[in-house]
Every structure is written in C-alpha cells, then in structure tokens.
Amino acid sequence: MKTIVSALALSLGFIGAASAAELRMSWWGGDGRHLATQEALKLCGAKLGHVVKPEFTGWQGHGERVTTQLAGRTEADVMQINWPWLHQFSADGSAFADLRDYADVIDLSQWTEDQLAGGTMNGKLNGLPVSVTGRVFYFNDAVFEKAGLPLPKSWADLEEAAKKLNPEGAYPFDAVKLNAIFIVSLAAAQQTGKDLIDPETGKVAWTEEELAEALKFYQSLSEKGVIRPWRTAVAVGNIELFDEAAWRDGKVGGSYEWDSTYGKYADPLVEGKLIPTPPFRVEGATSDGVYRKPSMVFSISKNSREPKAAAEIVNCLLNDPEAVTILGDTRGLPASAVALKTLTEAGKLSPELLEAAKIVSEASGPAVSPLNEHPAVREALNDAIEEMAYGQISPEEAASTIIRSVNRALTRM
C-alpha cells in the first residue's frame, strides 16, 4: 500500500542517505518551470546536504543537446527526459541507470506498476514518470454561447456549429499541423482498437483501408468547415495555437490538446472559459481511442559519480511534500500518489485540470508505443496529411504513402 509516511521518510533522507555531493540537473521548459525547479532544488539540496547545479533551456534544441551529451558522456546526473526519447536513447535499457537499484532511496510505491512500466526499457526502470498525460478535447464556452449554441458533445455538433461560425470567419475546432496527426490517429484507433504501431511486429498495425477511412474523416472536417483550411493555419507561421490571435480572440473554438497544458490554452483567452470534454467518437468506433502516455520522466545518468545522491534528489522532487508544493503543476498533474494528494488537498490544482485528467484516465484506448513520436514517424504522417490537405494526393494515396514510409523508418530503427 502506498503511504505518505514512507514517502516522507525517504524524502527527508531517513533511509540510506548518501554523503554530500555536487550534482547537475538538466531540463527544458518555460519561466514558471525554471523558477520553481530551481527553488525546489535548493530546498532538496539543503535537506539532503547536496548542491545541485541547474541546467535548463527551452524546448527547442533540448533533444539535440541531450543527444550530444549522452554521446560524449557529459550528461547531467539527473535529467528530465521526454518519454519517447527512452526508446531512441535506450532501447536495450543501457543508456540510463536502473532506478530499481535505488529503491531504498526512491519510494517507488507512489507509482502504479503500469506507470512504472511506461519508463521501463528491456526490464530496466530508466525513467520515473513525472506526470501522465493524454489528449483531451477543450472548448471555449464563450465562442459557442455568443453563437447561440450549446457546448458541443459530438462531431455532428461541430458540423452544425461550423454553419454559424464560418460566416464570421471562425471555426469550431483546430486540427492542423501536429493536431492533424492526432485526429487521424484518434479516428483510426477508435475504429480499429489498435495503436499505429503493432508491438508484436514492429510494423504499422492499421491496414491501408483502415487508415484511408481515418484520413477521409479528417478531410471531411475541412470540407465541412469544422477546422481551418491548412493554408490559413500555416500562414501564421510556426507558432503554437495558444500563441495565435485566432485562439486568443475566439476565432477557433476548440482543440485536442494534452490535459496537462490546460493553463497554456486557458490563460490567453480574452473571453470565456476553457471546458474539458470527453472524446467524440467517429462512426463505428470500438473505443475512445484516447492517446495516453507518460509526459516526461526523470532519469539518472549511468555515468553519474553520485547515483545514490542523484536518486535522493529525484525522490525529494517527486515525493517530498514541500518540494511538490513548490513545483505545483509546472510539469502537469503529478504521477506520484503522494504528490497528487498533497497538491489536491492544498487546493493547488484547478478543477478544470483535474477534470481533464479524470477524462483521460477514464477513457478507453490502446497502449501507445513511444515510436509514435519518433521524428521519422511524425514526418511521414505530417508530409502525407499535408499533401492531402492541399489536394495533391487522395486519402488512399496518403494511406499507402504513410504505411510504406513509417514501416521503412521502423525497419531502420
């Protein structure tokens, strides 16, 4: 049974404390995460008698930085690692320390075995899930209220909303660029009950016919005005939706985003409140098809000179109530049971964020392979969907191209 007592004992260093050490920790994020993490590291360092040097960047280029450091064995002792990178860096489990070797320092009972499995490579716990995240539908209630429409509960509702919003130059939903991939994948997963990649064969699990049906569904959203034309969306440049004027000003009414990013999308709105909504099902769906995964993990370098001290810092950041309170939801909803309990009881989590996380956890869907997010796989999907969106190829041709390109990429891996 998970207990707060055991978490407190470990976080305060009562069990197996390491001698004083000088450590490094690297991560990516925005200003809020940077400031909170530095403060939490000072707290944990003071409690445990260690000094931790922070090394932080934005998202852009961080993956390349970690790749270079791992190749040169210059990586930090503690690293924030994007979940899909585990497969890229450590398919055989050898690139990072096995955190189960430090179970006397890290209270692993605060995670379920399913959660720990998400960070396990070839039987070795290479990463401890910081948070678990999934895609959820978010809608700006003001957009629909101003149009005299109820909050949508189905794709049919969005089609009806498009008829009222399009004449005003607005769209009820966003599904271009990366979101196009997620909506196509959602439709295919709902209809087939399968993830893109078959874990047994290491190949694309969907047939050309199944993928073509999902692509046709996506194409219909554009034809019916549910989503912005691809040309319109990309014309604003390579910026996130939450930074777009169209989102801020209510010209886009909803999107399919990570539940953990609620604040990013809610904060910029000029009018209205962002409402998390259960996934809409396509015709013939056999499941909700939700895309759910560890959002990121904390890993320890296999080259660290002070791995036990690094494990103490990891445990403190993720399980110590004081550190957890400092970090708040800067990395999403915590996966650690004691961390989630601490923030919930302290009123540090918004009801909307908790509702979004509840929707994701209760929705059905296939287990997701980290290879879905491999750059070569993403590129193959994006290029074919974009060509289809511009009318250069048909859904059937796009399906054939995607399966051929992704299978080729998977073979190389």
Side-chain angles (χ1 to χ4, degrees), residues 36-281:
T37 305
Q38 290 178 84
E39 186 178 347
L41 285 175
K42 289 178 182 177
L43 172 82
C44 291
K47 283 189 172 187
L48 297 163
H50 306 316
V51 176
V52 187
K53 178 184 176 183
E55 298 177 4
F56 51 88
T57 67
W59 166 253
Q60 293 297 327
H62 192 84
E64 291 80 0
R65 176 188 175 96
V66 173
T67 300
T68 300
Q69 290 179 332
L70 288 172
R73 298 183 179 182
T74 59
E75 69 272 20
D77 299 273
V78 179
M79 291 169 280
Q80 176 181 295
I81 296 293
N82 195 23
W83 174 66
W85 297 349
L86 287 178
H87 193 282
Q88 296 175 44
F89 296 144
S90 190
D92 63 354
S94 66
F96 304 104
D98 185 350
L99 300 182
R100 289 192 185 276
D101 291 343
Y102 305 98
D104 60 331
V105 175
I106 304 173
D107 183 7
L108 299 179
S109 72
Q110 299 303 322
W111 287 264
T112 67
E113 284 304 316
D114 283 345
Q115 289 173 328
L116 295 178
T120 299
M121 304 299 298
N122 194 30
K124 298 178 181 179
L125 184 57
N126 278 179
L128 198 55
V130 178
S131 57
V132 175
T133 190
R135 287 266 160 170
V136 68
F137 285 74
Y138 283 129
F139 292 102
N140 180 350
D141 60 0
V143 172
F144 298 91
E145 288 175 7
K146 289 174 70 174
L149 298 165
L151 208 65
K153 296 182 179 179
S154 67
W155 290 112
D157 288 348
L158 288 182
E159 291 175 21
E160 288 301 311
K163 297 173 184 177
K164 285 199 172 185
L165 295 174
N166 288 171
E168 304 297 325
Y171 298 86
F173 198 64
D174 177 78
V176 292
K177 306 178 190 175
L178 180 58
N179 272 355
I181 295 175
F182 279 112
I183 291 300
V184 169
S185 297
L186 175 70
Q190 285 184 348
Q191 291 176 321
T192 67
K194 298 179 290 187
D195 179 43
L196 167 65
I197 299 170
D198 187 328
E200 299 298 324
T201 66
K203 301 290 185 181
V204 175
W206 305 328
T207 66
E208 286 191 20
E209 293 75 16
E210 290 168 340
L211 180 52
E213 284 302 309
L215 289 162
K216 288 177 184 177
F217 169 74
Y218 174 79
Q219 190 176 55
S220 74
L221 298 179
S222 179
E223 292 171 347
K224 295 172 181 177
V226 172
I227 62 174
R228 296 178 291 174
W230 195 283
R231 293 179 190 275
T232 302
V234 301
V236 300
N238 188 27
I239 62 175
E240 299 280 2
L241 177 64
F242 58 78
D243 281 330
E244 287 192 39
W247 177 259
R248 182 189 66 231
D249 298 335
K251 294 299 184 182
V252 174
S255 190
Y256 185 52
E257 303 293 343
W258 300 116
D259 62 336
S260 57
T261 59
Y262 178 83
K264 280 186 180 179
Y265 287 86
D267 293 346
L269 299 180
V270 173
E271 288 185 273
K273 187 175 184 180
L274 205 57
I275 308 296
T277 305
F280 298 165
R281 288 193 174 205

Side-chain angles (χ1 to χ4, degrees), residues 311-325:
E312 288 183 348
I313 293 296
V314 168
N315 184 70
C316 181
L317 291 174
L318 299 182
N319 287 331
D320 180 86
E322 287 186 83
V324 165
T325 301

Side-chain angles (χ1 to χ4, degrees), residues 305-382:
R305 295 180 180 180
E306 300 282 358
K308 190 167 186 178
E312 288 183 348
I313 293 296
V314 168
N315 184 70
C316 181
L317 291 174
L318 299 182
N319 287 331
D320 180 86
E322 287 186 83
V324 165
T325 301
I326 291 171
L327 292 173
D329 61 359
T330 56
R331 287 180 172 82
L333 208 63
S336 159
V338 68
L340 181 58
K341 179 179 177 64
T342 297
L343 294 182
T344 301
E345 291 181 347
K348 298 290 186 180
L349 301 172
S350 72
E352 293 78 18
L353 178 59
L354 289 170
E355 177 61 21
K358 182 172 182 287
I359 289 171
V360 169
S361 67
E362 293 180 352
S364 58
V368 173
S369 166
L371 292 175
N372 278 277
E373 299 185 28
H374 191 283
V377 173
R378 281 278 171 83
E379 182 179 7
L381 284 157
N382 181 80

